[in-house]
């Protein structure tokens, strides 16, 4: 399912266009004080400026796939980003630089790059949301991150009230983060990606993907094969949006994989001695990234674990928290997230942190 802007049924009045649950993949969120739609970059800037001139708080919302909005909603102005399209802005023999509008559905864009023989985003197939959201959390999956191909981000600077172009080196990209995340200063308008002209994927880095493709880690495969296999793997985990599958009514991975100092990781290993080796990946400066899904499962929260009001861990993937009933409250989902976080901390001494942005709610 690539149309991430389809309006699902929600708790409350599903015909009320101001109910923000209509615009999030979790199908959660109360009313907006004011709802505006922006269909291009100029309109995005204008709608934000007009709200600021009214001295209203502003929430910019595109695909709604990485946000949890509280039951009280958002009392200010919500700007729905619906800009579309992409174009090549620079080319040479080996590469093409593509500028994509913030509201372009991400998976549609990835599909288009694969069809054109542009390599670099194929392993990010099937991820819901908009292109403009990808630099905010440095979206990554199956061995690729958008920071590897982003050249620059065009954004509206709400502090200086002007449009700026920020080179990738100044975006502060880190694991699932950037200068844009948890900051309302920047409103992403367009993103430039430099992609390689090649019918083959980048080297396959992720062991699970390599096994599914029947190749070795480091091998390259046809772009279409990489995309199809990634989408199949994601669908098997409930990570491709499907209106008929409540396991996909989520924000994908709710918690990030914790990156621990080496000594803290050794303490986790000691606490987990009776459970086997936690899946882990060495990082910079002696740090170790640990599987949050493994920690959650071993702390007693298995796939399908149910919380109040029909919220539950996905039956397909331990990291996804779902609004399976379609009628739950954000408070119920937050309560389940808090229970899981506290349980993991009690069992392993590790505090998990949410990946989505939380609006008027907290765990």
């Amino acid at each position: 399912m690539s149309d991430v802007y389809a309006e699902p049924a929600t708790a409350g009045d599903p015909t009320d266009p101001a109910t923000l649950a209509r615009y999030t993949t979790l199908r959660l969120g109360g009313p907006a004080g004011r709802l505006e739609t922006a269909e291009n970059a100029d309109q995005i800037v204008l709608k934000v400026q007009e709200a600021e001139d009214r001295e209203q708080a502003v929430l910019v919302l595109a695909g709604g796939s990485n946000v949890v909005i509280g039951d009280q909603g958002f009392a200010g102005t919500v700007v729905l980003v619906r800009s579309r399209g992409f174009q090549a802005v620079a080319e040479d023999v080996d590469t093409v630089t593509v500028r994509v509008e913030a509201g372009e559905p991400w998976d549609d864009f990835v599909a288009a790059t694969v069809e054109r023989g542009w390599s670099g985003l194929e392993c990010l197939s099937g991820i819901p949301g908009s292109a403009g959201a990808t630099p905010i959390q440095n979206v990554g999956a199956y061995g690729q991150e958008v920071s590897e191909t982003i050249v620059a981000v065009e954004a509206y600077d709400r502090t200086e009230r002007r449009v700026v172009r920020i080179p990738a080196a100044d975006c502060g990209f880190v694991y699932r983060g950037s200068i844009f995340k948890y900051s309302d200063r920047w409103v992403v308008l367009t993103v430039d990606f430099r992609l390689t002209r090649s019918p083959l994927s980048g080297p396959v880095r992720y062991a699970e993907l390599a096994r599914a493709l029947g190749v070795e880690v480091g091998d390259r495969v046809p772009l279409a094969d990489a995309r199809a296999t990634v989408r199949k793997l994601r669908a098997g985990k409930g990570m491709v949006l499907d209106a008929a599958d409540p396991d996909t009514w989520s924000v994908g991975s709710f918690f990030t994989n914790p990156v621990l100092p080496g000594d803290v990781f050794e303490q986790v290993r000691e606490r987990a001695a009776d459970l086997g080796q936690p899946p882990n990946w060495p990082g910079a400066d002696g740090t170790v990234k640990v599987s949050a899904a493994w920690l959650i499962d071993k702390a007693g929260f298995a796939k399908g674990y149910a919380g109040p009001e029909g919220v539950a861990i996905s039956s397909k993937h331990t990291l996804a928290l779902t609004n399976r009933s379609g009628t739950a409250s954000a408070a119920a989902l937050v309560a389940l997230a808090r229970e899981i976080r506290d349980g993991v901390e009690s069992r392993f001494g590790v505090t998990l942190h949410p990946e989505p942005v939380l609006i008027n709610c907290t765990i």
Side-chain angles (χ1 to χ4, degrees):
M1 176 178 174
S2 60
D3 183 5
V4 298
Y5 301 108
E7 298 178 355
T10 66
D13 181 3
T15 65
D16 181 359
T19 301
L20 294 175
R22 293 167 62 88
Y23 307 106
T24 70
T25 56
L26 261 173
R27 308 178 178 216
L28 297 176
R34 183 185 182 108
L35 198 64
E36 301 273 4
T37 299
E39 297 183 350
N40 55 54
D42 289 342
Q43 286 185 12
I44 296 170
V45 173
L46 177 63
K47 300 293 186 183
V48 171
Q49 289 178 336
E50 288 177 342
E52 291 172 336
D53 292 342
R54 292 191 298 269
E55 298 185 347
Q56 287 186 311
V58 180
L59 172 63
V60 178
L61 188 64
S65 63
N66 195 49
V67 63
V68 183
I69 301 176
D71 297 312
Q72 67 267 46
F74 189 81
T77 294
V78 176
V79 178
L80 298 176
V81 175
R82 298 295 183 260
S83 53
R84 294 287 192 276
F86 61 89
Q87 61 179 322
V89 294
E91 301 183 57
D92 58 33
V93 174
D94 299 317
T95 69
V96 57
T97 299
V98 187
R99 180 166 300 158
V100 59
E101 299 294 326
E104 179 72 11
W106 175 251
D107 195 48
D108 287 1
F109 175 57
V110 175
T113 66
V114 168
E115 290 169 2
R116 286 163 173 77
W118 299 340
S119 176
L121 302 177
E122 59 279 353
C123 292
L124 302 175
S125 294
I127 295 175
S130 68
T134 61
I136 294 173
Q137 67 171 44
N138 187 16
V139 164
Y142 294 101
Q144 288 182 339
E145 287 186 335
V146 292
S147 58
E148 298 169 338
T149 50
I150 287 177
V151 177
V153 175
E154 182 186 50
Y156 173 61
D157 182 343
R158 295 180 60 193
T159 299
E160 298 188 4
R161 291 178 70 88
R162 65 189 182 97
V163 174
V164 297
R165 185 166 297 278
I166 305 172
D170 296 331
C171 289
F173 289 125
V174 294
Y175 172 65
R176 298 300 175 268
S178 68
I179 63 169
F180 311 110
K181 193 169 184 178
Y182 306 126
S183 171
D184 61 2
R185 176 175 178 175
W186 313 102
V187 180
V188 175
L189 303 175
T190 66
V191 187
D192 289 1
F193 293 90
R194 181 176 293 128
L195 305 176
T196 302
R197 295 180 184 277
S198 174
L200 299 180
S201 70
V204 176
R205 302 172 183 168
Y206 205 77
E208 180 188 17
L209 178 57
R211 288 193 299 271
L213 285 163
V215 301
E216 298 295 323
V217 171
D219 287 349
R220 298 172 183 266
V221 300
L223 289 174
D225 291 353
R227 171 171 166 76
T229 303
V230 166
R231 283 184 57 87
K232 183 177 179 180
L233 288 171
R234 290 185 62 86
K237 299 174 182 178
M239 296 292 190
V240 176
L241 291 177
D242 183 347
D245 183 0
D247 269 334
T248 72
W249 303 349
S250 73
V251 289
S253 297
F254 193 91
F255 294 104
T256 59
N257 292 320
V259 178
L260 308 175
D263 58 338
V264 175
F265 173 65
E266 290 304 320
Q267 294 172 14
V268 172
R269 290 183 64 184
E270 291 176 7
R271 291 193 180 206
D274 59 327
L275 301 171
Q277 174 83 345
N280 65 91
W281 302 268
D285 301 320
T287 60
V288 182
K289 182 166 67 175
V290 181
S291 167
W294 188 91
L295 295 173
I296 291 168
D297 181 69
K298 299 305 181 184
F301 303 98
K303 296 174 184 176
Y305 183 90
E309 299 180 25
V311 300
I313 294 177
S314 167
S315 68
K316 299 181 179 73
H317 197 292
T318 314
L319 273 181
L321 307 188
T322 66
N323 175 16
R324 291 187 58 82
S325 67
T327 58
S329 63
L333 187 95
V334 166
L336 176 59
R338 188 179 297 122
E339 180 185 4
I340 293 168
R341 180 204 61 191
D342 293 348
V344 168
E345 186 170 21
S346 176
R347 180 64 178 84
F348 297 108
V350 175
T351 301
L352 297 180
H353 297 283
E355 184 167 321
V357 176
L358 307 181
I359 304 297
N360 287 334
C361 60
T362 180
I363 69 167

